[in-house]
C-alpha cells in the first residue's frame, strides 16, 4: 500500500540509560508501545515506532569509569543487549536511536540553536544541588521542603545529591509557565492518566524556575554549538531524540510529528510534560498529542534494585517463560497507569485460567470436533439462531471496545474484553453440545455451530495478535489450515465476520497454551 496516503501513527518509548542492563521495567514500556504499534498497523496506519538508548551524561560517564572503560564502550555493550533482546520479545520498532549517533547530535544542536534564536537561552552561574542518578537539579529550598536537607539526598530517588558551582547556560523555563498551564487545561488528553495530569498541573502552577542546561565539569555529551567547553544538559539532549530520529532539523518531520502517544514511566513525567513541552513551544513545534505515564513495577512486593539484586532480567525470564505469555501477563495484570507487583504465582494463575483453560481449550475442542465430525472442513451455515447472532454481536462489540480501550492505553480492559468473548465461545460450546447434535444426526445445526466457533476463534486471534504475535500466528495457522503470518493480516481484509467459506479446511489442533504446573 502507498504509505503517503495512509494516516500516520507515531509511538515512542523513553530512551533507556546504558549504565544498567535491561530489566523488567524497560521491557514493560517497550512491550506496551509495541502492542500499540502492531494494533495500529493492523488497522492500516503508517506506523512509526521509536525506541533507543540514552548514552550521555554524568551517570553513564561514572558507570564507565567504575568499569575502567570508555563511555562509548559501555554504551556499545548495553546496546548489543537491547538489540538482541528486542527481537526475542517481538518488539517491532521501526527505528532505534542512539544519542551518540551523528544524526542525533545534529538534532540536539539544531534544537539548541532554535532555543537560542527564540531568545530563551542565557548564560549565568549555577550554584545548587544535582542528583546524578536522576540527572536532575534541586534547590536548597526544594531539599528542605522535601525533608532531604539534613542528609542532602534527592527528593525523587533518595540518593545523595552533590553541590554544583559552575558557569552554565540557562533555559528560560519560567517564561513558559502560563502557556503550559493553558495547554494542559485546554488539552485534557495531553497528560494521562488524569491523576498524573493533575500532579503536573499543580507543579507548574506552583511556579517554574529557569533550568540550567549546560555543564562544564565533564565531557560525555553534545557540545554547546559555539562554546564547546559546555556540554548540553543530558535531558535536553535525550528529549530531543523523539525528533532527531525523524531527521530534525534538516528534514521535514511533519509526516510523523507530533507523536500520537509518548509512553514513559511516572518517574520521568516532569521531564516530559514540563521540560520537553516547553522546549517544543520555544522551538515553535507542536506538542505530542499525549504523554502517558504508566505505573511502577515491584517484584514479589519489593522495589527492584541493584543492591537487593532482585531486578528481573528479561533474558532470565525467557529461560522459563514464553515471551508472548510475558507480554500478555504484564499488560493484563495491572491497569497501565497503576503500580503493580510482579509475582510468579499470579503469572501462572492468569496463564492457566485465561490462556490455557479459556483460549487454549476453546481452540482445542473446536478444532478437535471439526476434525472428528467433518475432517476439519467447514460446512454451510444454516438458519442462524439467536445464540449465533448473540455471539457475532459480542465479537463486533469486542472489536469496538478494544479499539476504544487501546485508544486510551487501557490494555487490561482490551484483554478483559477479549476474554469475555472467549468465555462466551466456551459457553456456546456447552449450550449447543455439538456431540449431542452429532449423535442426533443434526448435521445442519452441527455445521452451523462449528462454523461459528471457528470464526470466533479466528477473530479472537486477530484481536490478540498485537499482544501475542507469535502465539497468534500459530493459532491462525491452525484455523487457516496453512502457515500464516498474523502480522500481515489487516483488519480491513481479515477483520470481518464470515471470511472463511464452506469447504475451508482447518488443521488438526496443536496445543499452543499447555497448562503450567
Ligand atoms: O529515565 N516499573 O532511563 P531509564 C515500570 N534515560 N517501568 C520502569 C521501571 C519499573 N520498575 N523501571 C524502569 C531514563 N522503567 C532516561 C529517559 S527519555 C527522553 C530519557 C521504565 O533507563 C519506565 O519507562 O532510567 C521508565 O520511565 C524508564 O524505564 C526509565 O528508564
Amino acid at each position: 500500500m502507498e504509505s503517503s496516503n495512509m494516516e500516520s501513527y507515531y509511538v515512542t518509548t523513553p530512551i533507556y540509560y546504558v549504565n544498567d542492563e535491561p530489566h523488567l521495567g524497560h521491557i514493560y514500556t517497550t512491550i506496551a508501545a509495541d502492542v500499540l504499534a502492531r494494533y495500529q498497523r493492523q488497522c492500516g496506519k503508517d506506523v512509526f515506532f521509536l525506541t533507543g538508548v540514552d548514552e550521555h551524561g554524568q551517570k553513564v560517564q561514572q558507570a564507565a569509569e567504575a568499569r575502567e572503560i570508555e563511555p562509548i564502550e559501555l554504551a556499545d555493550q548495553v546496546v548489543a543487549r537491547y538489540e538482541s533482546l528486542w527481537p526475542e520479545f517481538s518488539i517491532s520498532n521501526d527505528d532505534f536511536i542512539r544519542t551518540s549517533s551523528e544524526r542525533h547530535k545534529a538534532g540536539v544542536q539544531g534544537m539548541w540553536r532554535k532555543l537560542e534564536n527564540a531568545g530563551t537561552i542565557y548564560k549565568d552561574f549555577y550554584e545548587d544541588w544535582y542528583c546524578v542518578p536522576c540527572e536532575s537539579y534541586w534547590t536548597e529550598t526544594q531539599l528542605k521542603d522535601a525533608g532531604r536537607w539534613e542528609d542532602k539526598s534527592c527528593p525523587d530517588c533518595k540518593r545523595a545529591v552533590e553541590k554544583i558551582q559552575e558557569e552554565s547556560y540557562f533555559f528560560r523555563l519560567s517564561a513558559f509557565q502560563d502557556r503550559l498551564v493553558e495547554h494542559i487545561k485546554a488539552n485534557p488528553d495531553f497528560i494521562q492518566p488524569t491523576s498524573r495530569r493533575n500532579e503536573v498541573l499543580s507543579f507548574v502552577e506552583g511556579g517554574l524556575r529557569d533550568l540550567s542546561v549546560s555543564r562544564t565539569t565533564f565531557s560525555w555529551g553534545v557540545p554547546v554549538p559555539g562554546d564547546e567547553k559546555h556540554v548540553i544538559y543530558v535531558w535536553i539532549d535525550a528529549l530531543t531524540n523523539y525528533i532527531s530520529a525523524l531527521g530534525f532539523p534538516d528534514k521535514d518531520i511533519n509526516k510523523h510529528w507530533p507523536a500520537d502517544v509518548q509512553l514513559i514511566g511516572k518517574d520521568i513525567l516532569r521531564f516530559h510534560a514540563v521540560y520537553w513541552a516547553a522546549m517544543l513551544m520555544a522551538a515553535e513545534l507542536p506538542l505530542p498529542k499525549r504523554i502517558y505515564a504508566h505505573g511502577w513495577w515491584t517484584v514479589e512486593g519489593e522495589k527492584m534494585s541493584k543492591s537487593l539484586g532482585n531486578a528481573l532480567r528479561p533474558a532470565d525470564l525467557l529461560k522459563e517463560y514464553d515471551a508472548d505469555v510475558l507480554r500478555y501477563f504484564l499488560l493484563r495484570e495491572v491497569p497501565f497507569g497503576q503500580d503493580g507487583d510482579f509475582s510468579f504465582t499470579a503469572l501462572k494463575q492468569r496463564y492457566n485460567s485465561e490462556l490455557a483453560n479459556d483460549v487454549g481449550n476453546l481452540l482445542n475442542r473446536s478444532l478437535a470436533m471439526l476434525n472428528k465430525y467433518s475432517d476439519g472442513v467447514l460446512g454451510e451455515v444454516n438458519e442462524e439462531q439467536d445464540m449465533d447472532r448473540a455471539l457475532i454481536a459480542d465479537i463486533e462489540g469486542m472489536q469496538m471496545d478494544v479499539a476504544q480501550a487501546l485508544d486510551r492505553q487501557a490494555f487490561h480492559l482490551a484483554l478483559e474484553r477479549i476474554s469475555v468473548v472467549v468465555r462466551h465461545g466456551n459457553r456456546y460450546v456447552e449450550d449447543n453440545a455439538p456431540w449431542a447434535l452429532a449423535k442426533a444426526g443434526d448435521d445442519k445445526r452441527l455445521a452451523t455451530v462449528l462454523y461459528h466457533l471457528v470464526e470466533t476463534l479466528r477473530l479472537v486471534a486477530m484481536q490478540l495478535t498485537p499482544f501475542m504475535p507469535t502465539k497468534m500466528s500459530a493459532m491462525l495457522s491452525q484455523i487457516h489450515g496453512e502457515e500464516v503470518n498474523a502480522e500481515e493480516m489487516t483488519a480491513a481484509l481479515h477483520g470481518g465476520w464470515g471470511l472463511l467459506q464452506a469447504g475451508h479446511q482447518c488443521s488438526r489442533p496443536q496445543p499452543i497454551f499447555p497448562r503450567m504446573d
Side-chain angles (χ1 to χ4, degrees), residues 13-21 23-30 52-56 59 82 99 133-135 234-235 237-242 262-269 271-272 276 294-299 303-304 339-340:
T13 72
I15 48 172
Y16 305 114
Y17 283 128
V18 295
N19 67 313
D20 192 12
E21 303 273 316
H23 64 62
L24 181 77
H26 304 126
I27 55 167
Y28 180 54
T29 322
T30 315
V53 284
D54 190 353
E55 299 170 85
H56 290 143
K59 160 167 161 157
Y82 275 108
T99 57
C134 296
E135 301 275 20
V234 64
W235 273 102
D237 172 339
L239 290 162
T240 306
N241 90 85
Y242 302 126
Q262 303 208 261
L263 302 184
I264 55 171
K266 65 179 186 178
D267 55 325
I268 53 175
L269 178 57
F271 298 98
H272 283 80
W276 177 226
H294 65 65
W296 211 242
W297 282 97
T298 50
V299 173
K303 204 178 154 185
M304 273 188 284
D339 295 343

Side-chain angles (χ1 to χ4, degrees), residues 76 96 106 183 274 318 334 432:
D76 286 345
F96 185 92
H183 188 85
V274 182
L318 286 178
V334 177
N432 285 287

Side-chain angles (χ1 to χ4, degrees), residues 31-32 34-39 42 89-91 322-333 355 402-403 405-406 409-418 460-473 486 513:
I31 288 169
D34 187 67
V35 169
L36 297 178
R38 285 175 182 274
Y39 180 74
Q42 195 181 51
F89 277 93
S90 302
I91 301 302
D322 182 89
D324 273 6
V325 171
L326 291 164
R327 288 170 63 106
Y328 178 91
F329 175 71
L330 288 172
L331 294 176
R332 175 68 183 89
E333 181 70 358
L355 296 179
V402 167
L406 291 184
Q409 288 74 50
F411 300 96
H412 72 297
L413 292 182
L415 288 170
E416 214 167 273
R417 185 62 182 86
I418 301 169
V460 162
M462 285 287 297
Q463 203 80 91
L464 284 173
T465 290
F467 295 90
M468 296 185 284
T470 310
K471 290 282 189 196
M472 290 306 113
S473 281
F513 296 118

Side-chain angles (χ1 to χ4, degrees), residues 494-507:
H494 307 95
W497 180 270
L499 179 82
L500 298 182
Q501 301 292 312
H504 170 85
Q505 173 79 56
C506 297
S507 302

